[in-house]
Amino acid sequence: MKRVLTALAVGVAALAAWSLMQAERPVAEPVREPVSARLLDARLVVRHQGIRYAEITAQRVEVSADRRATTFTGRPRIVLYAGDRRVLVATGARMVYDRPTQAVRAEGGLRLTTPEGASLAARTAIWDPQSQVIELAGDVDVTFPYRLTR
């Protein structure tokens, strides 16, 4: 009987030691894709032949190690211009630019707004520059600031 109690005590002690070691082990960080560049509180101005084409602001901009993707997070905002005139404002939670295809994917909500106040909102959106089409997914909401007449 003494052997059984001793074995049981050793087993409980071993289980207690193992439990304590597990509790002290740090929680593993999620694996992140390697980043070659990271900018905080960024404002980028895109120009073509000296003419402003777009302004992009975000709390965080990351370029992937393979330089294929640029990710904008933290209230990213893109303002598109035609000449000196603002034509479209895009805001969202996370936007990813794919360099080889020049496609843009917006996740976690996207809102497009015109200077006249018309807006379009969707949960996710993908812009394909080849077809010039925006594919919207999730609940889509369109608002016009004026009344449509016949």
Side-chain angles (χ1 to χ4, degrees):
M1 182 72 165
K2 191 173 184 180
R3 281 185 165 172
V4 172
L5 289 176
T6 303
L8 185 60
V10 169
V12 169
L15 182 61
W18 179 82
S19 176
L20 286 173
M21 287 179 9
Q22 293 299 319
E24 293 176 12
R25 188 179 289 176
V27 178
E29 292 283 326
V31 177
R32 298 183 80 170
E33 182 178 335
V35 174
S36 69
R38 179 177 294 138
L39 302 169
L40 301 177
D41 295 323
R43 179 174 177 258
L44 308 169
V45 178
V46 180
R47 296 182 186 274
H48 178 67
Q49 297 180 346
I51 298 172
R52 180 176 56 182
Y53 176 73
E55 286 185 16
I56 305 167
T57 57
Q59 289 177 344
R60 182 185 209 125
V61 179
E62 294 182 343
V63 178
S64 63
D66 62 3
R67 297 187 186 150
R68 179 180 175 96
T70 303
T71 304
F72 302 88
T73 55
R75 291 181 274 160
R77 181 176 184 211
I78 301 172
V79 180
L80 299 177
Y81 294 90
D84 287 338
R85 190 170 156 253
R86 179 187 292 197
V87 293
L88 188 67
V89 176
T91 57
R94 181 176 190 263
M95 296 181 191
V96 180
Y97 171 71
D98 184 78
R99 180 183 229 140
T101 64
Q102 296 183 344
V104 178
R105 178 179 179 85
E107 302 166 339
L110 170 74
R111 179 170 296 280
L112 302 173
T113 308
T114 67
E116 295 80 22
S119 69
L120 181 143
R123 188 171 11 132
T124 63
I126 300 171
W127 162 252
D128 178 12
Q130 302 302 319
S131 64
Q132 300 285 303
V133 170
I134 297 176
E135 180 182 322
L136 304 170
D139 297 329
V140 177
D141 182 42
V142 178
T143 305
F144 293 101
Y146 45 86
R147 188 175 185 177
L148 297 176
T149 59
R150 293 184 183 202

